[in-house]
Amino acid sequence: MSVSGLSGCPSRCCLWLPNHNRGSICRQVSAVPSAGKPKENFGLLHFERSSWTVSTQMWKTQKTHLIKCAMDASSGDMANQSAGSAIFPRINIRDPYKRLGISRDASEDEIQAARNFLISKYGGHKTSVDAIEAAHDKIIMRKFYERKNPKIDIKKKVREVKQSRVVQAVTSRFQTSATKFVVRTSIAFIVLRVLTVLFPTEDGPTLQVAISLMTTFYFIHDRLKSKIRALLYGAGAFIFSWLVGTFLMVSVIPPIPILKGPRSFEVLTSLITYVLLWVSSTYLK
């Protein structure tokens, strides 16, 4: 039979024991103590068991020592590798954009390029790599959230409108005038507004509108020193201003209860026209 390292016949067994010098040896022990010397047989069996226990403990101790040496060597190599690697200088900055060194308007390609560059430079330092990856993931998640929940950026919209070709073409037709000239035109058109509101006639503010047209011709000629341009610009500004004022009164601006009478519509249209004529007289290039 064979049981846990023991082999033999019913009357005797063989115990395999590790030996440091010659490997394993087999010692035969009687399974049944003899009648002549029972104490000696039991003593021999106790001795064999003690030797086997001591040898097993020594083998376990050597195995534990070897594992500990291997772990120490591995830790030493990792420490040497970390000590010789560059450390990311912005590792403690909380803002992910500042940590990666990019602006908040950076595209996804720019974000990925910044991450790859920093990883290639500080890839040997694990803590630096973790900080770079954390900042990259946080920015990507924020971009994904903003794409799913877009917000209206007023400053960005205004900048886009200013940079459009139509707005640039319109603004290129205007120029800044001297302060004294702006004051003169402002006073003239304010007087026309006051006269239109205080003295409306049954036929409407026809006289005030005619005076505003002549005033526009005068100020444009005084600024540009050209009669033809003054005539063309003045007539075009008057027609455009009156059409815009009529459209606003019909479609946008609600009736104002302060101005009452059969000609209130013409009066409000004239007030809007005066504003546009003042702009043309003062700033049109």
Side-chain angles (χ1 to χ4, degrees):
M1 66 178 177
S2 175
V3 180
S4 301
L6 300 176
S7 62
C9 60
S11 60
R12 299 186 66 83
C13 64
C14 181
L15 178 64
W16 292 89
L17 299 174
N19 192 317
H20 297 289
N21 297 326
R22 295 174 296 174
S24 299
I25 60 173
C26 179
R27 298 179 184 273
Q28 293 185 355
V29 181
S30 176
V32 180
S34 61
K37 297 179 180 179
K39 293 183 179 181
E40 294 179 0
N41 292 331
F42 280 110
L44 180 60
L45 181 60
H46 178 70
F47 172 76
E48 298 294 344
R49 291 180 60 187
S50 299
S51 300
W52 179 77
T53 302
V54 171
S55 299
T56 304
Q57 291 179 352
M58 292 179 64
W59 178 76
K60 289 183 178 180
T61 302
Q62 292 179 354
K63 182 178 179 182
T64 303
H65 179 70
L66 291 174
I67 294 174
K68 184 177 180 181
C69 291
M71 292 177 64
D72 292 341
S74 178
S75 300
D77 293 340
M78 292 179 63
N80 293 334
Q81 184 180 4
S82 299
S85 302
I87 300 177
F88 186 41
R90 300 189 297 272
I91 193 171
N92 295 322
I93 296 179
R94 292 186 177 182
D95 190 347
Y97 291 95
K98 293 182 180 179
R99 187 184 298 177
L100 293 186
I102 57 177
S103 64
R104 295 185 179 275
D105 297 332
S107 62
E108 294 187 2
D109 294 337
E110 293 174 344
I111 297 170
Q112 191 67 26
R115 177 256 179 197
N116 294 337
F117 172 75
L118 294 175
I119 289 294
S120 63
K121 188 174 182 180
Y122 304 102
H125 191 256
K126 185 178 184 301
T127 308
S128 300
V129 173
D130 294 340
I132 295 169
E133 292 289 2
H136 172 265
D137 295 342
K138 192 172 182 179
I139 294 173
I140 292 298
M141 291 301 297
R142 186 176 297 178
K143 291 287 185 182
F144 176 75
Y145 177 80
E146 291 177 355
R147 193 160 50 244
K148 292 193 67 176
N149 303 279
K151 294 182 180 179
I152 299 176
D153 190 352
I154 298 177
K155 293 182 179 180
K156 185 177 181 180
K157 292 295 183 181
V158 172
R159 185 168 60 252
E160 291 177 354
V161 171
K162 289 182 178 180
Q163 293 177 353
S164 64
R165 294 183 178 180
V166 177
V167 174
Q168 289 182 353
V170 173
T171 54
S172 64
R173 301 304 307 167
F174 293 89
Q175 65 181 4
T176 304
S177 300
T179 304
K180 292 183 179 181
F181 188 83
V182 174
V183 172
R184 288 171 56 197
T185 57
S186 300
I187 293 174
F189 282 98
I190 288 174
V191 171
L192 286 174
R193 294 189 191 100
V194 173
L195 293 176
T196 302
V197 174
L198 295 179
F199 304 101
T201 61
E202 294 181 357
D203 297 333
T206 306
L207 179 61
Q208 292 88 332
V209 171
I211 295 174
S212 67
L213 178 59
M214 299 302 296
T215 304
T216 303
F217 288 149
Y218 171 76
F219 284 122
I220 293 178
H221 177 268
D222 186 31
R223 187 164 49 85
L224 300 180
K225 308 299 182 181
S226 174
K227 294 181 179 180
I228 297 177
R229 294 175 65 183
L231 181 62
L232 294 176
Y233 286 177
F238 178 78
I239 296 172
F240 175 78
S241 301
W242 190 262
L243 291 176
V244 171
T246 304
F247 170 76
L248 293 176
M249 288 301 303
V250 173
S251 304
V252 179
I253 300 176
I256 300 175
I258 298 176
L259 298 176
K260 297 181 180 180
R263 297 298 179 181
S264 59
F265 178 84
E266 287 81 355
V267 171
L268 292 175
T269 305
S270 300
L271 295 178
I272 297 173
T273 302
Y274 296 158
V275 175
L276 298 177
L277 289 177
W278 172 77
V279 173
S280 302
S281 303
T282 309
Y283 300 104
L284 192 62
K285 185 185 293 185

